[in-house]
């Protein structure tokens, strides 16, 4: 076409990307910066109050505590991105785990992999069913999953009490028990974490370099290497934390198996969200469902996919939960769990209004909640104070979410 | 007053005359016959007949609520018509979904633009048509192509194609929506008030762009309330009045005065040519 127009419109140099950063700041899209600052403040506070906080043993414990919040928040994120919510996810994950634990005990004696499969299949089926009702019958997800919150608790109590073990079924099978309660060897810890970091670094380097070699604006080379260095450093810190002996009478070291589970789930979910059409469509539907429809996207199919992925993630969360508690009881508070899951996602920076958020936000948010619970317990604060502190953090997070939303539409 | 029938200018598309329905001009890319649309009691379209030839700009004009947007939504697969027939390249078609319209080669820029504010320019440009490599999104290829298309259309005001669309001005958003519609090889591009929100120079650019599309052999339907723009760009004019298509024909048959009459009263005693 016309030669006059062939000077690239959006010619770019390092400056534009700095401008882009600034624009995002002004839009209120600060990314992870505020929540990481918040986390740092909490860490410093608790460390000052009690020096046990930053000990290897306590940090490992904190990561394990965070696992359940992280995975449930990841489950919730699939739906929050669509502007939907799942209030039932706490009981659903517990119900999946219940079935696994029942199938693993003396009576049935299923192999661990079959029981785990049943747990995940159960939560996936429930997610699919609820999603189907919400999408096909155009029911609000809030109400359908509120019914789920009540209904699945009923099924859970019924299933557990039928076993006649007094309301609790212990995990007696080794693999499921070890998921949270056993550790990789220090060498395996090194290998797993360094391999993960290497893959992640390789992705970052390749991404930045291919942008540079295609003539697209990219960050300066030193920033790429700074990111890589920071990743490697944090990986080494993690290894050192996990590999420090935290036992008092016997040697106890290495990374709990739950952590690799978290990492694999995070990597898989992030891959789907950022690298595949399905992920792109979930964002598009959350941002403007009508625009997505007009772009030819089968909106209902991808909404259902999100409900299915919520179910899958909830299944994994439930197994880790049962492993951590060493069993499952009819007193599981799935209502509290789901609220903390939503809080984790939102504190991490995922929007309640749909279309904005990342899986890694669930991880950071989950760590914040776990830090509050862990630290408050260390400095002997009451449960009441823990609730209030969590509430304050949540209100701050949701306020920032709302401000960011206003900031990004005000220029329209 | 209705001026149905012969298209002026060279007929670029000799369609198969045999498959055509009654009264369908086989030289038209798109022919509507008796299209109607009800919204409950509201009759938004009443037996609309329209022929849209390739390589020409058809301006669709009419007062607020005349049914222009409803008509193009029926063509674009957003609304299913309550009655009537659509012929595409002489063959009867039914366009139930936006995807079906797209597969025929119909691209639409809506009045409300239908962009995702939470996605960036590249992501919006390729929404529903992402480029992939072994199943993984090929961001680099999409970004390069986006820059190419925007440069091609002389869209020079956006500083980065990785900017969120929600942060763009109205004119920039319009430009992105137009660029998105023309990026995919389309035979018919429909634009609902593409210049309504634009400043002087961006309006001129969009009008220029519309002419260039037509010169490439693409059929263009433009809805506009601005008669200056209409007469600057249109090869044909179609006028809607209260859901009726009251007049259509080559632009030479109209002048601004008769166009205003048709828009406001549905008829005109003054007829140019
Ligand atoms: N989804 C809908 N439901 C009910 N009525 C509708 C709907 N869409 C349009 N209408 C009605 O159909 C008629 C035609 O509307 P339409 O939007 O097609 O007008 P228009 O010619 O595009 O007007 P404008 O120039 O203001 O954009 C109006 O009376 C409008 O109220
Ligand atoms: Mg309109």
């Amino acid at each position: 076409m016309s030669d006059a127009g062939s000077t690239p419109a959006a010619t770019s140099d390092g400056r534009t990307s700095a401008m882009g950063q600034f624009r995002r700041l002004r839009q209120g899209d600060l990314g992870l910066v505020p929540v990481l600052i918040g986390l740092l403040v909490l860490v410093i506070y608790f460390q000052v109050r009690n020096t046990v906080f930053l000990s290897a043993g306590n940090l490992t414990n904190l990561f394990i505590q965070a696992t359940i919040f992280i995975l449930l928040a990841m489950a919730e994120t699939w739906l929050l991105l669509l502007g939907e919510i799942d209030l039932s996810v706490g009981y659903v994950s517990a119900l999946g785990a219940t079935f696994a634990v029942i199938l693993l005990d003396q009576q049935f004696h299923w192999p661990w992999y079959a029981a785990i499969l049943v747990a995940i299949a159960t939560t996936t089926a429930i997610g699919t069913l609820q999603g189907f009702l919400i999408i096909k019958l155009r029911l609000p997800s809030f109400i359908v999953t509120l019914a789920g919150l009540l209904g699945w608790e009923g099924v859970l109590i019924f299933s557990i009490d039928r076993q006649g073990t007094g309301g609790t079924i212990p995990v007696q099978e080794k693999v499921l028990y070890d998921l949270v309660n056993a550790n990789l060897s220090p060498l395996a810890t090194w290998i797993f974490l360094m391999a993960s970091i290497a893959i992640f670094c390789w992705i970052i380097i390749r991404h930045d370099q291919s942008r540079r070699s295609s003539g697209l604006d990219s960050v300066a080379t030193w920033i790429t290497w700074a990111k890589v260095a920071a990743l490697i450093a944090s990986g080494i810190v993690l290894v050192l934390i996990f590999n420090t002996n935290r036992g008092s009478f016997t040697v106890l070291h290495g990374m709990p198996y739950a952590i690799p589970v978290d990492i694999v789930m995070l990597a898989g979910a992030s891959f789907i969200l950022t690298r595949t059409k399905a992920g792109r469509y979930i964002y598009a539907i959350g941002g403007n469902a009508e625009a997505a429809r007009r772009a030819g996207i089968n909106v209902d199919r991808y909404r259902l996919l999100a409900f299915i992925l919520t179910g899958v993630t909830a299944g994994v969360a439930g197994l880790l939960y049962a492993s951590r508690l060493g069993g499952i009881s009819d007193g599981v508070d799935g209502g509290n769990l789901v609220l903390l899951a939503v809080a984790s996602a939102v504190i991490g920076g995922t929007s309640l209004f749909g279309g904005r958020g990342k899986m890694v936000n669930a991880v950071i948010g989950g760590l914040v909640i776990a830090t509050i619970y862990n630290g408050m317990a260390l400095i002997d604060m009451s449960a009441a104070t823990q609730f209030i502190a969590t509430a304050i953090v949540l209100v701050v997070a949701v306020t920032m979410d709302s401000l960011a939303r206003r900031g990004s539409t005000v220029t329209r | 007053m209705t001026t149905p029938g012969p298209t002026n200018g060279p007929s670029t598309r000799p369609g198969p005359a045999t498959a055509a329905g009654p009264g369908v001009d086989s030289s038209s890319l798109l022919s509507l016959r008796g299209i109607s649309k009800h919204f409950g009691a509201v009759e938004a379209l009443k037996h609309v007949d329209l022929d849209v030839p390739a390589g020409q700009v058809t301006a669709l004009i009419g007062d607020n609520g005349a049914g222009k947007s409803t008509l193009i939504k029926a063509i674009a697969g957003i609304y299913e018509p309550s009655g009537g027939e659509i012929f595409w390249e002489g063959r009867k078609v039914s366009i139930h979904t936006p995807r079906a319209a797209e597969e025929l080669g119909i691209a639409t820029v809506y009045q409300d633009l239908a962009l995702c504010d939470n996605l960036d320019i590249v992501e919006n440009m390729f929404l529903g048509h992402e480029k992939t490599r072994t199943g993984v999104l090929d961001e680099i290829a999409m970004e390069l192509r986006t820059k190419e298309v925007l440069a091609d259309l002389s869209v020079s005001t956006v500083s980065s194609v990785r900017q969120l669309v929600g942060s763009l001005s109205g004119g920039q958003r319009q430009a992105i929506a137009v660029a998105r519609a023309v990026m995919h090889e389309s035979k018919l591009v429909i634009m609902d008030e593409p210049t309504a929100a634009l400043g002087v120079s961006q309006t001129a650019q969009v009008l220029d762009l519309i002419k260039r599309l037509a010169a490439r052999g693409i059929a263009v339907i433009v809805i506009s309330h601005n008669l200056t723009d209409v007469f600057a760009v249109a090869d044909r004019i179609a006028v809607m009045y209260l859901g009726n298509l009251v007049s259509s024909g080559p632009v030479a048959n109209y002048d601004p005065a008769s166009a205003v009459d048709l828009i406001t009263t549905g008829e005109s005693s003054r007829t140019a040519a």
Side-chain angles (χ1 to χ4, degrees):
Chain A
M1 287 226 298
S2 77
D3 254 325
S6 67
T7 25
T11 4
S12 38
D13 41 76
R15 207 167 39 88
T16 44
S17 118
M19 290 287 287
Q21 289 294 326
F22 177 71
R23 201 178 306 108
R24 285 183 180 220
L25 280 178
R26 218 190 41 193
Q27 280 169 29
D29 185 7
L30 298 166
L32 290 175
V33 174
V35 62
L36 285 177
I37 292 174
L39 186 55
L40 189 69
V41 169
L42 285 173
V43 167
I44 292 171
Y45 175 75
F46 289 129
Q47 176 65 15
V48 168
R49 294 290 306 271
N50 186 339
T51 48
V52 171
F53 183 78
L54 281 182
S55 67
N58 189 54
L59 285 179
T60 307
N61 187 29
L62 190 155
F63 281 120
I64 291 175
Q65 284 177 297
T67 288
I68 184 72
F69 302 136
I70 289 174
L71 282 172
L72 285 179
M74 282 173 57
E76 206 65 66
T77 299
W78 294 112
L79 296 180
L80 291 178
L81 286 176
L82 290 176
E84 308 277 352
I85 198 162
D86 185 345
L87 296 177
S88 71
V89 80
Y91 282 114
V92 169
S93 63
L95 184 61
T98 302
F99 289 165
V101 173
I102 291 175
L103 290 172
L104 285 172
D105 79 1
Q106 274 86 0
Q107 190 183 351
F108 295 98
H109 227 83
W110 279 35
W112 60 271
Y113 48 87
I116 283 178
L117 220 64
V118 166
I120 296 177
T122 304
T123 56
T124 308
I126 293 174
T128 312
L129 171 70
Q130 292 183 157
F132 186 82
L133 290 176
I134 289 160
I135 294 162
K136 287 296 164 207
L137 303 183
R138 298 180 192 286
L139 304 176
S141 58
F142 187 88
I143 301 300
V144 171
T145 60
L146 182 60
L149 173 81
L150 302 167
W152 302 120
E153 179 179 16
V155 177
L156 178 98
I157 294 173
F158 176 78
S159 308
I160 293 177
D161 291 356
R162 238 177 63 109
Q163 300 305 303
T165 49
T168 320
I169 313 172
V171 176
Q172 283 154 338
E173 192 276 337
K174 187 169 164 16
V175 172
L176 183 56
Y177 185 81
D178 282 355
L179 205 51
V180 169
N181 301 299
N183 307 305
L184 276 75
S185 73
L187 179 65
T189 303
W190 270 111
I191 293 174
F192 181 87
L193 282 178
M194 286 302 123
S196 310
I197 297 275
I199 293 171
F200 198 38
C201 287
W202 179 73
I203 291 172
I204 288 179
I205 293 172
R206 221 184 53 134
H207 173 262
D208 286 359
Q209 260 170 8
S210 59
R211 285 186 65 83
R212 249 174 249 133
S213 62
S214 313
L216 297 172
D217 50 337
S218 174
V219 295
T221 320
W222 71 266
I223 293 182
T224 307
W225 291 111
K227 281 191 279 190
V228 167
L231 267 173
I232 294 175
S234 47
I236 291 175
V237 169
L238 271 184
V239 171
L240 294 179
I241 291 171
F242 290 134
N243 282 357
T244 303
N245 180 18
R246 54 184 180 271
S248 359
F249 301 110
T250 56
V251 177
L252 180 61
H253 54 195
M255 172 170 60
Y257 285 102
I259 309 295
V261 172
D262 277 353
I263 293 176
V264 168
M265 292 296 288
L266 172 68
S270 299
F271 176 82
I272 293 175
L273 269 186
T274 59
R275 302 289 156 115
T276 68
K277 287 189 178 193
R280 179 65 42 87
Y281 296 165
I282 287 174
Y283 281 110
I285 294 166
N288 185 343
E290 180 59 17
R293 191 175 86 86
R294 291 190 198 167
I297 295 166
N298 187 335
V299 171
D300 285 354
R301 181 192 299 166
Y302 289 97
R303 289 177 71 205
L304 188 61
L305 176 69
F307 279 96
I308 292 171
L309 290 171
T310 297
V312 174
T313 319
V316 177
L319 290 167
L320 287 170
Y321 189 58
S323 174
R324 175 168 149 66
L325 298 182
I328 199 98
S329 94
D330 59 6
V332 172
D333 192 351
N336 192 37
L337 277 180
V338 77
L339 295 184
L340 289 175
V342 174
S344 296
V346 173
I347 287 169
T350 294
S351 175
L352 275 171
F353 306 107
R356 203 159 43 77
K358 289 179 183 153
M359 279 301 162
V360 71
N361 296 351
V363 176
I364 310 288
L367 283 172
V368 170
I369 300 256
T371 299
I372 293 173
Y373 275 56
N374 178 295
M376 294 257 172
L378 271 187
I379 61 177
D380 285 329
M381 290 237 187
S382 63
T385 330
Q386 290 174 21
F387 283 130
I388 293 168
T390 312
I392 291 170
V393 173
L394 180 59
V395 168
V396 170
V398 84
T399 306
M400 296 198 27
D401 175 23
S402 176
L403 288 177
R405 190 171 124 95
R406 227 178 297 159
S408 65
T409 46
V410 81
T411 41
R412 201 165 336 150
Chain B
M1 190 58 246
T2 312
T3 332
T7 52
N8 71 342
S11 168
T12 49
R13 198 170 298 272
T18 44
V24 171
D25 183 344
S26 60
S27 71
S28 291
L29 177 64
L30 173 76
S31 297
L32 308 179
R33 289 295 173 267
I35 297 292
S36 48
K37 175 72 192 171
H38 308 270
F39 293 109
V42 181
E43 220 181 340
L45 297 175
K46 301 166 189 166
H47 290 277
V48 171
D49 295 342
L50 181 66
D51 290 294
V52 181
Q56 295 193 22
V57 179
T58 304
L60 189 57
I61 59 179
D63 217 341
N64 291 123
K68 308 179 295 296
S69 296
T70 307
L71 182 63
I72 64 161
K73 282 179 179 166
I75 302 171
I78 303 288
Y79 295 150
E80 194 143 351
S82 319
E85 296 175 315
I86 301 177
F87 297 88
W88 179 256
E89 298 180 321
R91 276 178 305 111
K92 186 172 184 300
V93 291
S94 45
I95 308 175
H96 295 296
T97 61
R99 180 69 83 185
E102 231 174 64
E103 276 162 9
L104 292 175
I106 301 174
T108 313
V109 181
Y110 298 95
Q111 201 167 3
D112 53 5
L113 296 185
L115 297 170
C116 292
D117 284 352
N118 61 328
L119 300 184
D120 66 29
I121 293 175
V122 178
E123 290 168 342
N124 267 285
M125 289 280 284
F126 279 90
L127 191 58
H129 300 273
E130 288 77 8
K131 290 192 185 195
T132 54
R133 247 166 60 185
T134 59
V136 177
L137 295 175
D138 189 347
E139 298 287 353
I140 302 245
M142 291 193 278
E143 187 164 340
L144 288 172
R145 179 88 180 105
T146 300
K147 290 183 131 187
E148 197 178 289
V149 172
L150 292 186
D152 219 23
L153 301 181
S154 314
V155 179
S156 52
T157 56
V158 296
S159 57
S160 163
V161 289
R162 288 298 178 184
Q163 204 174 338
L164 294 187
V165 160
S167 71
L168 298 178
S169 74
Q172 289 172 327
R173 291 165 59 83
Q174 184 72 52
I176 300 307
V178 173
R180 185 180 127 88
V182 302
M183 182 173 62
H184 314 291
E185 293 297 310
S186 308
K187 294 177 180 168
L188 169 63
V189 173
I190 304 173
M191 302 187 195
D192 196 347
E193 305 198 25
T195 57
L198 302 193
V200 179
S201 70
Q202 283 196 3
T203 298
Q205 275 172 20
V206 171
L207 295 183
D208 191 48
L209 163 65
I210 291 171
K211 285 187 212 157
R212 272 183 283 158
L213 294 181
R216 280 197 238 172
I218 297 172
V220 184
I221 299 178
V222 184
I223 296 180
S224 180
H225 288 291
N226 184 328
L227 288 181
T228 319
D229 290 357
V230 167
F231 281 94
V233 81
D235 298 302
R236 297 175 59 80
I237 283 180
V239 190
M240 296 204 64
Y241 180 75
L242 298 180
N244 295 294
L245 197 119
V246 290
S247 170
S248 70
V251 69
N253 293 357
Y254 303 86
D255 59 28
S258 66
V260 169
D261 284 349
L262 286 163
I263 289 170
T264 51
T265 65
E267 48 192 54
S268 172
S269 48
R270 296 175 278 199
T271 311

